[in-house]
Amino acid sequence: MNFALTLVRHGQSTANVRHMLAGWKDVELTETGRKELEKLASAVDYPESDIYFSSPLKRCRETAEILFPGRKIICRDEFREINFRMLEGWILSSKEEMDAYFADWVNDEAYLDEETLSDVMERGSRAVLSTVAECEAEGLHSATVVM
């Protein structure tokens, strides 16, 4: 059976603006992020899905509610972003410092005990594969995940 999976990134969050490492920290969308998503909702024809999932974090739930109004959104922990652990909430001095951090991170380098790229890819792959298998077992043909 063919299965269509649509992945959607959350809108601009308060952590994005502050250059904060906030993978599991529950931060909200900015007003700019909300407005950008409202524009996207009217301009982009997102594919219809049989089921909609989201990370339980506010920024993801808000994004899902704006882009897919009236749809039931199922929150799942396995769709959370990077677990920065001890670095959660750290604010970097600039976008350049954040870019440098992630340049190292994509090479699987961790500063302390945060998840590495390999960790996130493994966790994310398990989440996607189990979600698709569960949906297919229920006879569904498509899903959207907001992360």
Side-chain angles (χ1 to χ4, degrees):
M1 168 161 97
N2 289 332
F3 190 87
L5 180 66
T6 302
L7 301 176
V8 178
R9 169 91 169 135
H10 65 76
Q12 182 190 67
S13 73
T14 55
N16 296 138
V17 172
R18 296 178 68 204
H19 311 297
M20 177 190 291
L21 299 178
W24 286 27
K25 190 169 182 61
D26 206 8
V27 298
E28 297 179 353
L29 294 175
T30 62
E31 192 56 38
T32 298
R34 285 184 197 91
K35 287 178 182 174
E36 289 172 346
L37 288 167
E38 288 166 1
K39 286 180 188 174
L40 279 174
S42 61
V44 175
D45 197 17
Y46 286 95
E48 285 290 321
S49 289
D50 295 329
I51 193 165
Y52 295 82
F53 296 99
S54 173
S55 160
L57 299 170
K58 289 178 199 171
R59 59 191 179 267
C60 299
R61 291 190 332 262
E62 284 183 272
T63 297
E65 290 165 3
I66 292 168
L67 294 180
F68 309 109
R71 308 296 197 309
K72 179 183 177 186
I73 308 295
I74 300 166
C75 292
R76 293 206 164 157
D77 284 339
E78 58 263 34
F79 294 124
R80 287 176 180 251
E81 295 182 39
I82 305 162
N83 186 346
F84 288 108
R85 296 184 181 109
M86 290 176 57
L87 294 177
E88 234 6 273
W90 278 30
I91 297 174
L92 302 174
S93 63
S94 65
K95 181 183 181 313
E96 292 74 25
E97 187 179 10
M98 183 164 274
D99 290 347
Y101 171 84
F102 281 106
D104 289 341
W105 186 81
V106 297
N107 290 316
D108 244 9
E109 295 177 28
Y111 285 91
L112 292 173
D113 67 340
E114 71 270 28
E115 282 185 305
T116 63
L117 176 60
S118 295
D119 296 333
V120 173
M121 289 176 62
E122 183 180 323
R123 181 171 54 80
S125 295
R126 281 194 317 267
V128 166
L129 291 173
S130 66
T131 298
V132 169
E134 181 182 322
C135 289
E136 287 180 331
E138 293 179 21
L140 304 177
H141 297 87
S142 62
T144 294
V145 178
V146 179
M147 301 184 286

